[in-house]
Amino acid sequence: MPDTPPGNTPYAVRAYRPEALREALRKMLLIRKFEEGAEECYMRGLIHGTMHLSIGQEASAVGACMSLGDDDKITSTHRGHGHCLAKGAGVDKMFAEFFGKETGYCRGRGGSMHIADVAKGNLGANGIVGGGLPIAVGSALSAKRLGTGAVTVCFFGDGANNEGAFHEALNMASIWKLPVIFVCENNRYGMSVPTERSTAVKNIADRAIAYAMPGVTLDGNDFSAVAEAVDGAVARARAGDGPSLIENVTYRTRGHSRSDRNRYRSRQEIALWTERDPIPRMAKMLVSHGVMTEDDVEKMEAAAADEIASGIEAARSAPEPGVEDATRDVYTVHSEAME
Amino acid sequence: MNAESSVRGEVHELSYAESIRDAMDIALGSDERVVLMGEDIGVYGGAFQVTGSLVHKYGEDRVMDTPISELGGAGVAVGAALTGLRPIFEFQFSDFSTLAMEQIVNQAAKLRYMLGGAVSVPLVMRLPSGSGTGAAAQHSQSLEAWYGHVPGLKVAQPSTPRDAKGLLLAALEDPDPVLIFEHKLLYKMKGPVPSGYYTTPIGKAAVRREGTDLTIAANSIMALKAEEAAKTLADEGIDAEVIDLRTVRPIDRETVLASVRKTGRLLCVYEGVKTLGVGAEVSAMVAESDAFDFLDGPIVRLGGAECPIPYNPKLEEAVVPQVPAIIRAARDLANGAI
Ligand SMILES: Cc1ncc(C[n+]2csc(CCOP(=O)(O)OP(=O)(O)O)c2C)c(N)n1
Ligand SMILES: [Mg+2]
């Protein structure tokens, strides 16, 4: 940590080296370009199935991973591309997965909704809302029992907080004081239903009190605020003091998935939140604190766009999995009797 | 045999989704006890646009968006059905019913029995099901055999718009819990649907095509694939009888056995995983009966591969029965090659 005096300097600028800050912005830009590239491939009919874009939520994904190493774990959600990139995944293997290729992270078996990079500690996106919550607690239990010192960051949406799994998971994490950080990305809606119609409490972090853990609600489009809260919770978890719940209030500017007709929200609301874009905000912070110039930001954005374009190209020409391999990996030890 | 209750209305072309909506509209309009419950079934119109704009006609008190709480939501529907309402509960995907297994299997299915007949649970659940949409392993399953294994539940699988409406209205008349598996690939398919009220009997299969050389017994979308296969087979001089099971619990033994007595050959086609699936039951029904004596060849099953549904489109297609595979199996069976 640099020893500059705090003053009005945001937490992130105080806490991280300039290289780390630039890398954080680069990842946010990469996520944005990635999502736009994925969306375009999708619109052009190059990718099948469905996909959930995290445009507008980049500060949450990247901010929450700032103090994690490759040994630390995350569990992700159906809206998981950003988490995957934030935890260090490569663009090529992600796109290869979307194109259903053998070279993809899941060898073409999972697609967008199951994107994972286990080597980097991402235990996977999830097709089941709330599915990752108890798994994150299990991962934290392993870390505690095995003494690895790793923490687990569990991403989930506001909608997931009404699943039983959420409540059971938080309770167990708390009674066993496990090193897990529950990061709720509250983007106002679970598909079409706003939190005020689905959730009895005003803030999802208010649920923390029921499970005797710290809970905080913050501006999830403020990279520094996210990083500060999660870093604190990570330190607490590593010290053996148990779990925390952090609620990043954010917004998805795109529809829930491709079939969304946006009937449940207004154009004005979308426009308002588009104004609150976390990326220009982060760029402005870094420029104003002399971490980089506007010119650097532009170059970084262009480089991200290039990386995405070449990732898509590589994915398109990558090999398909063999149909005869469809029943591979159902079990760890393959047996003919199981086919 | 396939008798619907008296159909008086005119016949219109409707999609499968529209005909289900039509049934729900009739039910909501004629019975105050009917409520719809599910995720995003209100202003969103349902993930597959089945409820559509019903919320605007009947209001949020009767077309209720639930939180994302499958176990709780299904349980509320069970409790409401137990005490006077007639809920129609929509799972966004049939896969998510696994989160509600407790309430469906331990409660809805067993309450009447456990309480010695003192109560009944007139609950209808709608479950969009099946593969072919590129949604991978947690959004593509065919779970009808799971629920078909549970005494106390009834399980229907309409394959046409006409049956989708008639079975839903029949389910609403039924005093016990009925799960209706709707195939996602059929929602946009159009077909003739009588207007007004009619029911399609639960427990009756439909003979979609009469034939003498072999019986193809299939469920849901596979019944349509079997019909398509039968056309090609007819060009080759093989006359297949196609049975659409329509409900798997209760399953229509008589229609299947009568057909096998006539044709002497049985091919079962179903999308669910082959092992311990619907085809196993159909095969056993024949093997255990006098129809067995009429068999001129082995019973053949074509079912889903022993794996979750993969994302890659070619793999996804390969792991469930497709028309060419049905043709091949039927041909081999009819020609005595197996
Ligand atoms: C158990 C389960 N129920 C329902 C769904 C369908 N579904 C997928 S995402 C979603 C909304 C989730 O909302 P939230 O948790 O807020 O995440 P967001 O999409 O806003 O990122 C729903 C209802 C699902 N995938 N799994
Ligand atoms: Mg949400």
Side-chain angles (χ1 to χ4, degrees), chain A residues 15-277:
Chain A
Y16 308 119
R17 296 173 184 287
E19 307 87 78
L21 288 168
R22 285 192 290 268
E23 176 59 11
L25 178 63
R26 191 190 72 82
K27 277 189 174 159
M28 287 170 69
L29 287 164
L30 192 66
I31 295 171
R32 177 67 54 88
K33 298 291 170 200
F34 183 94
E35 299 290 48
E36 289 170 356
E39 184 176 41
E40 201 198 320
C41 291
Y42 201 85
M43 301 293 214
R44 287 166 58 200
L46 303 176
I47 298 178
H48 85 150
T50 193
M51 138 173 329
H52 307 88
L53 303 173
S54 66
I55 292 177
Q57 304 187 182
E58 295 87 348
S60 171
V62 177
C65 292
M66 285 306 283
S67 54
L68 303 186
D70 287 356
D71 291 338
D72 295 312
K73 312 291 187 208
I74 66 167
T75 60
S76 173
T77 70
H78 58 284
R79 202 173 301 290
H81 308 163
H83 308 147
C84 199
L85 287 164
K87 196 69 175 54
V91 164
D92 287 20
K93 285 180 85 172
M94 284 181 71
F95 273 116
E97 188 56 34
F98 294 2
F99 282 87
K101 299 304 177 75
E102 185 66 26
T103 52
Y105 273 114
C106 315
R107 304 180 55 240
R109 307 312 195 267
S112 157
M113 234 183 323
H114 303 288
I115 198 80
D117 179 4
V118 179
K120 291 277 185 193
N122 179 0
L123 299 176
N126 212 306
I128 300 299
V129 169
L133 279 144
I135 293 175
V137 177
S139 164
L141 177 65
S142 289
K144 185 169 177 177
R145 298 284 313 151
L146 302 174
T148 64
V151 301
T152 302
V153 167
C154 171
F155 289 103
F156 62 101
D158 49 283
N161 103 94
N162 294 311
E163 290 283 15
F166 166 87
H167 297 271
E168 298 179 24
L170 265 71
N171 186 54
M172 284 185 277
S174 187
I175 59 172
W176 294 325
K177 276 205 170 189
L178 297 177
V180 52
I181 300 93
F182 299 101
V183 175
C184 178
E185 301 189 309
N186 179 353
N187 58 10
R188 291 233 337 105
Y189 297 94
M191 216 156 139
S192 68
V193 181
T195 49
E196 59 271 19
R197 286 184 58 227
S198 67
T199 304
V201 288
K202 184 163 178 289
N203 297 311
I204 285 152
D206 296 348
R207 304 271 203 211
I209 210 166
Y211 303 106
M213 67 176 77
V216 56
T217 301
L218 52 89
D219 179 351
N221 284 7
D222 177 349
F223 167 84
S224 184
V226 173
E228 182 168 14
V230 179
D231 285 0
V234 167
R236 182 183 142 84
R238 290 207 209 277
D241 294 333
S244 308
L245 171 57
I246 293 164
E247 177 183 10
N248 295 337
V249 177
T250 181
Y251 197 77
R252 59 164 163 75
T253 49
R254 292 298 196 273
H256 168 72
S257 66
R258 71 164 169 158
S259 40
D260 189 344
R261 302 171 194 195
N262 284 317
R263 281 181 188 143
Y264 52 89
R265 57 181 186 173
S266 66
R267 270 201 204 116
Q268 292 88 311
E269 184 183 286
I270 299 173
L272 178 78
W273 278 93
T274 307
E275 288 289 299
R276 299 181 188 162
D277 191 331

Side-chain angles (χ1 to χ4, degrees), chain B residues 77-337:
Chain B
V78 172
L82 192 67
T83 51
L85 292 183
R86 290 278 176 156
I88 304 177
F89 188 89
E90 172 180 307
F91 284 104
Q92 202 159 80
F93 285 71
S94 68
D95 311 68
F96 312 151
S97 71
T98 59
L99 280 77
M101 284 295 264
E102 195 288 295
Q103 287 292 326
I104 303 171
V105 174
N106 295 322
Q107 312 296 341
K110 298 180 174 56
L111 273 167
R112 178 175 175 78
Y113 184 81
M114 294 186 299
L115 273 56
V119 296
S120 57
V121 183
L123 169 64
V124 179
M125 291 182 153
R126 300 183 29 249
L127 305 95
S129 177
S131 66
T133 64
Q138 296 173 336
H139 286 72
S140 305
Q141 298 169 84
S142 298
L143 301 176
E144 54 277 355
W146 290 27
Y147 293 102
H149 194 65
V150 181
L153 301 179
K154 296 184 180 181
V155 178
Q157 293 183 280
S159 73
T160 65
R162 185 181 189 117
D163 285 354
K165 177 175 170 182
L167 283 167
L168 181 48
L169 290 172
L172 275 165
E173 278 187 7
D174 200 292
D176 294 315
V178 181
L179 274 57
I180 305 181
F181 286 84
E182 301 164 357
H183 203 293
K184 282 167 271 177
L185 295 185
L186 299 180
Y187 281 127
K188 296 199 169 123
M189 182 190 69
K190 296 223 171 207
V193 179
S195 61
Y197 192 88
Y198 67 95
T199 57
T200 303
I202 292 172
K204 282 284 169 215
V207 179
R208 297 294 182 201
R209 183 185 193 284
E210 296 200 4
T212 52
D213 293 338
L214 82 156
T215 299
I216 308 180
N219 58 349
S220 186
I221 197 170
M222 290 299 153
L224 305 181
K225 292 190 182 180
E227 270 189 273
E228 206 181 318
K231 285 183 200 143
T232 306
L233 290 163
D235 295 340
E236 299 178 12
I238 298 169
D239 190 17
E241 177 145 308
V242 177
I243 296 177
D244 178 352
L245 293 168
R246 294 205 290 202
T247 59
V248 296
R249 185 180 193 97
I251 194 159
D252 184 354
R253 276 178 92 239
E254 279 323 306
T255 300
V256 174
L257 298 189
S259 176
V260 172
R261 282 185 206 109
K262 178 173 72 171
T263 64
R265 292 185 177 89
L266 175 63
L267 171 64
C268 305
V269 188
Y270 51 111
E271 180 170 339
V273 172
K274 182 177 168 185
T275 301
L276 294 164
V278 168
E281 187 56 37
V282 175
S283 308
M285 250 158 46
V286 171
E288 286 175 340
S289 78
D290 69 291
F292 181 74
D293 298 331
F294 293 79
L295 286 177
D296 297 325
I299 297 169
V300 177
R301 287 181 295 157
L302 277 184
E306 306 296 318
C307 62
I309 300 293
Y311 166 72
N312 175 284
K314 286 186 191 130
L315 265 59
E316 183 181 21
E317 195 182 312
V319 299
V320 300
Q322 305 294 348
V323 174
I326 301 173
I327 294 171
R328 272 195 306 277
R331 187 190 288 138
D332 289 350
L333 185 58
N335 295 338

